[in-house]
Amino acid sequence: MIETAAPRRAAGQRSVLAALALAQFICSFAGSNMNVMINDISKDLDTTVQGVQVAITVFLLVMAALMIPGGKLTDRYGRKRCFTTGLVVYAIGALLSAAAPGLGVLILGNSILEGVGTALLIPPVYILTTLLYPDTTSRARAFGVVMALGGIGAAAGPLIGGLITTGISWRAAFVFQALVIAVIVVLARRIDDPLPPDPTRSFDTRGAVLSAAGLVLVVMGILAADNNVWLMLGLLVLGALVLWWFFRSVRAKEAAGEEPLLSLTLFRNRTSNLGLITQNVQWLILMGTSFTVAAYLQVVRHYDAIQTGVIFTAATLGLLVTSLSAERLAKRRTQRTLIMTGFALSIAGVIVLVALVAVFATAWAFVPGLLLVGLGLGVMLTPSVNVVQSSFPEEQQGEISGLSRSVSNLGSSFGTAIAGTILVSGLTKGAYAAAMLALAVIGLAGLTAATRLPRESVAALH
């Protein structure tokens, strides 16, 4: 009896990890696969490149804005229930997007409903991974699988999306997402929530509204840069004021002994703060590069979706090689070293992308740079998550998971908004170079944060 129970338990754990990793994969895939559909969607829905950029950015922004509230809701309603609810909302959004007659319905389905679904389902992925794998070795391995699938989803999104768009239609790519969600729902039946939900836990509604509004205003301000500088400044200032109001509200709640949306004690951990900065910049580079290169290839070079996706295979292969080697690399190098190496490779990749494309007209000019970017991101994605998650005890995993995912998705939003805004302002070789160099400069900020991480942070991966 014991002999049959152990394999059954191991199979159950594999199913649970597969569900969690696939969930991260499909959400990351959704953030990047639309990049190769820019021409197809804009023609089919009679919109512009900027309209598609707004849809992509709003999807990433909704995720970032609602991820912290999503993390808090897991304490009140349970991790499995939030995970399953998020999957259902996401699937509805994907099917609505597949049938969208215009940009407005696409934004409702893809940007809003898929964004809300992601904000509900992603925090449980990281909380459950932390709780279901209590020892550091198995937890590092599990996080390696989850982050590898997430990175591959983002990097392979253009290729998979290109194949589906060229072979069938861009609408079929959303049907594909709904089918993957159905598989995840089946696998998720084996999930047992390690902690019971606590319906008595309060929820800071005002804090949720203020934090979401502040983040939305900041990103919309960046998007407005190519249209109206004064509007951009106004939105950025207003966003900063709303976020200041949010943090003041949090401080007042903590002083009164009430539970805020986000405890300010999370920001007193220096190592975690530095890890969050590196996470933000990593996803900014990944999504900024993905959007910029994909838009340039399609609009300026006139490549179709599948040609664009094939070129992105270089980034996918690079990310796959290093992310799947994360556990082995971590046994030889500290997390700090891995993150620094990842940034150095990614920045070098961005510079190579600019240099080679300026000289050569062939598609091969994009391959070395994308390969370096993929290798760099694969090296550092898992260590950055481990640095943050391992900095807090179990009772704070809901909060830090929501904050961590919000910061990462905010980086994705910034990447698409900043690089995309520079690019669509000109859609020329010069604008492409300017957008990519902006990403390289921001990458240097991430590298600087990585150098300040403690040298002994390797422990969490051993």
Side-chain angles (χ1 to χ4, degrees):
M1 194 115 171
I2 295 175
E3 290 179 4
T4 57
R8 194 178 299 129
R9 189 163 54 248
Q13 273 206 318
R14 284 195 295 270
S15 294
V16 169
L17 183 57
L20 300 177
L22 273 176
Q24 179 62 74
F25 166 83
I26 201 64
C27 292
S28 299
F29 169 85
S32 68
N33 86 111
M34 276 180 67
N35 291 337
V36 297
M37 307 175 191
I38 294 171
N39 276 346
D40 296 84
I41 292 176
S42 58
K43 289 175 184 175
D44 194 14
L45 301 185
D46 193 26
T47 184
T48 62
V49 172
Q50 192 171 18
V52 180
Q53 181 208 3
V54 168
I56 296 170
T57 305
V58 171
F59 165 69
L60 298 168
L61 179 56
V62 168
M63 285 196 294
L66 299 182
M67 204 66 76
I68 295 173
K72 290 293 285 186
L73 287 173
T74 61
D75 295 324
R76 185 169 183 172
Y77 297 108
R79 285 129 295 271
K80 182 176 181 178
R81 182 181 296 179
C82 286
F83 183 68
T84 306
T85 303
L87 290 171
V88 173
V89 173
Y90 188 105
I92 293 170
L95 293 174
L96 186 61
S97 300
L103 183 63
V105 176
L106 180 67
I107 289 176
L108 174 62
N110 172 249
S111 309
I112 307 299
L113 291 179
E114 286 192 31
V116 170
T118 302
L120 285 172
L121 72 90
I122 286 298
V125 168
Y126 289 82
I127 300 168
L128 288 168
T129 302
T130 303
L131 298 179
L132 293 173
Y133 296 88
D135 66 281
T136 52
T137 302
S138 63
R139 182 183 297 174
R141 188 178 299 116
F143 269 129
V145 173
V146 171
M147 292 311 300
L149 265 291
I152 291 166
L159 175 60
I160 300 172
L163 289 170
I164 296 173
T165 300
T166 304
I168 309 174
S169 161
W170 65 267
R171 298 177 186 274
F174 289 102
V175 177
F176 167 76
Q177 292 179 44
L179 291 174
V180 174
I181 292 294
V183 173
I184 298 171
V185 170
V186 173
L187 293 172
R189 292 185 301 175
R190 292 198 178 213
I191 294 176
D192 289 320
D193 201 332
L195 297 175
D198 183 3
T200 63
R201 290 285 290 269
S202 61
F203 183 76
D204 183 6
T205 304
R206 183 174 69 171
V209 172
L210 288 175
S211 65
L215 293 175
V216 168
L217 287 167
V218 169
V219 177
M220 294 310 288
I222 296 172
L223 286 173
D226 63 320
N227 292 325
N228 189 317
V229 174
W230 290 110
L231 177 61
M232 175 195 75
L233 291 174
L235 289 170
L236 290 175
V237 170
L238 187 57
L241 288 173
V242 173
L243 289 174
W244 172 79
W245 185 8
F246 163 68
F247 282 109
R248 187 171 178 181
S249 169
V250 168
R251 192 176 293 112
K253 273 187 170 292
E254 287 188 323
E258 300 174 11
E259 184 177 0
L261 178 72
L262 186 70
S263 175
L264 292 180
T265 58
L266 294 177
F267 296 102
R268 292 174 189 162
N269 187 308
R270 180 176 178 273
T271 300
S272 172
N273 289 343
L274 292 169
L276 289 172
I277 292 171
T278 64
Q279 282 186 31
N280 180 276
V281 178
Q282 287 162 17
W283 285 96
L284 187 153
I285 292 172
L286 175 56
M287 297 307 296
T289 300
S290 179
F291 180 85
T292 303
V293 174
Y296 179 76
L297 286 171
Q298 293 170 89
V299 180
V300 179
R301 293 283 185 93
H302 304 294
Y303 286 21
D304 62 24
I306 194 166
Q307 290 172 320
T308 303
V310 168
I311 290 172
F312 271 96
T313 305
T316 307
L317 289 174
L319 199 146
L320 185 62
V321 168
T322 47
S323 61
L324 292 181
S325 304
E327 186 182 1
R328 190 170 71 251
L329 290 170
K331 291 177 180 177
R332 301 176 181 176
R333 299 287 185 269
T334 65
Q335 292 182 98
R336 175 178 178 271
T337 299
L338 292 175
I339 297 170
M340 287 171 58
T341 302
F343 273 116
L345 286 170
S346 298
I347 294 167
V350 171
I351 294 171
V352 168
L353 273 169
V354 174
L356 292 184
V357 172
V359 177
F360 301 103
T362 174
W364 288 103
F366 293 88
V367 173
L370 287 173
L371 179 63
L372 282 172
V373 171
L375 288 168
L377 289 166
V379 166
M380 60 182 169
L381 284 175
T382 299
S384 285
V385 170
N386 270 292
V387 164
V388 175
Q389 296 291 145
S390 301
S391 297
F392 297 92
E394 286 187 1
E395 58 267 21
Q396 287 186 292
Q397 284 299 315
E399 279 187 302
I400 191 58
S401 293
L403 176 61
S404 174
R405 294 305 88 207
S406 179
V407 166
S408 295
N409 285 299
L410 194 59
S412 297
S413 300
F414 284 153
T416 306
I418 294 171
T421 297
I422 295 172
L423 183 69
V424 299
S425 66
L427 279 174
T428 62
K429 186 177 288 189
Y432 161 80
M436 296 303 294
L437 290 174
L439 296 176
V441 170
I442 296 170
L444 289 173
L447 176 59
T448 302
T451 62
R452 300 174 68 86
L453 285 167
R455 296 178 186 273
E456 64 274 14
S457 59
V458 69
L461 279 173
H462 281 189

